[in-house]
Amino acid sequence: MGCCSGRCALIFLCTFQLVTALERQVFDFLGYQWAPILATFIHIVMVILGLFGTIQYRPRYIVVYAVWAAIWITWNVFITCFYLEVGGLSKDSELLTFNLSRHRSWWREHGPGCQREEPGAGLEPPNGQALGPGVSCTLEHGYVEALHSALQILVALLGFVYACYVVSVLTEEEDSCLRK
């Protein structure tokens, strides 16, 4: 296979997915959102598996990555619907935190252009963290989260397509070697 092959493209996509997933993981940790933290951790493991399978010419690992990419697309469609409040979902519910904390998206109070409202004396929440949304944000936190998910959907969709292509090429080469 040449350097500009589907295999090289899949290696690039997996690497880019790792970078974007690690960035997302950091912001999910900052917001104490446990469901996305767990999902993103599994995603990172699966992308590493897909990257390993691509580098080592192991089609089975790439198939696992492709199946996971489809699941990851579904998860990100749910997250997009959750933050855009589609179909009765509410971004103010504690669904993503497993009801373990009162925290929400980190972007809620630290979004682009947001100015934080400091609570009055004696009214601060535990640990000194403000739980209210930022004021006069350039972009509402739900849209920031939806944009993160849209990027994940786009990259996972491209990864799925390239994974299917690489698996077909690898199995075709394997079959041609067996026929000789």
Side-chain angles (χ1 to χ4, degrees), residues 85-101:
E85 297 182 328
V86 174
L89 295 169
S90 172
K91 62 185 167 197
D92 293 326
S93 75
E94 295 182 2
L95 183 65
L96 298 181
T97 62
F98 293 141
N99 293 327
L100 296 175
S101 66

Side-chain angles (χ1 to χ4, degrees), residues 1 19-20 26-27 45 53 72 86 88 105-106 124 155-156 162 179:
M1 287 186 167
V19 171
T20 60
V26 167
F27 289 112
V45 170
W72 186 244
V86 174
S105 170
W106 183 83
E124 288 190 30
V155 176
Y162 273 101
R179 289 183 199 150

Side-chain angles (χ1 to χ4, degrees), residues 15-159:
T15 304
F16 185 67
Q17 261 189 322
L18 279 176
V19 171
T20 60
L22 289 170
E23 178 265 341
R24 185 175 187 172
Q25 187 78 318
V26 167
F27 289 112
D28 287 342
F29 265 113
L30 289 172
Y32 300 101
Q33 295 187 323
W34 301 112
I37 288 169
L38 291 173
T40 306
F41 176 75
I42 294 169
H43 177 64
I44 289 168
V45 170
M46 291 297 174
V47 171
I48 290 171
L49 185 70
L51 189 58
F52 177 77
T54 306
I55 291 170
Q56 295 292 321
Y57 297 94
R58 297 181 187 252
R60 289 184 183 176
Y61 291 170
I62 302 171
V63 168
V64 170
Y65 164 76
V67 169
W68 173 255
I71 295 168
W72 186 244
I73 290 168
T74 306
W75 168 256
N76 281 287
V77 167
F78 165 74
I79 293 295
T80 302
C81 292
F82 180 80
Y83 279 107
L84 296 179
E85 297 182 328
V86 174
L89 295 169
S90 172
K91 62 185 167 197
D92 293 326
S93 75
E94 295 182 2
L95 183 65
L96 298 181
T97 62
F98 293 141
N99 293 327
L100 296 175
S101 66
R102 294 182 1 213
H103 296 280
R104 303 282 188 269
S105 170
W106 183 83
W107 296 104
R108 186 172 184 206
E109 55 184 73
H110 300 96
C114 287
Q115 299 167 354
R116 287 180 49 184
E117 275 187 5
E118 295 298 327
L123 299 176
E124 288 190 30
N127 301 328
Q129 295 180 349
L131 296 175
V135 180
S136 69
C137 297
T138 307
L139 192 61
E140 187 182 330
H141 76 281
Y143 296 122
V144 174
E145 293 284 358
L147 287 172
H148 269 104
S149 291
L151 176 65
Q152 295 291 325
I153 291 168
L154 176 66
V155 176
L157 190 59
L158 288 172

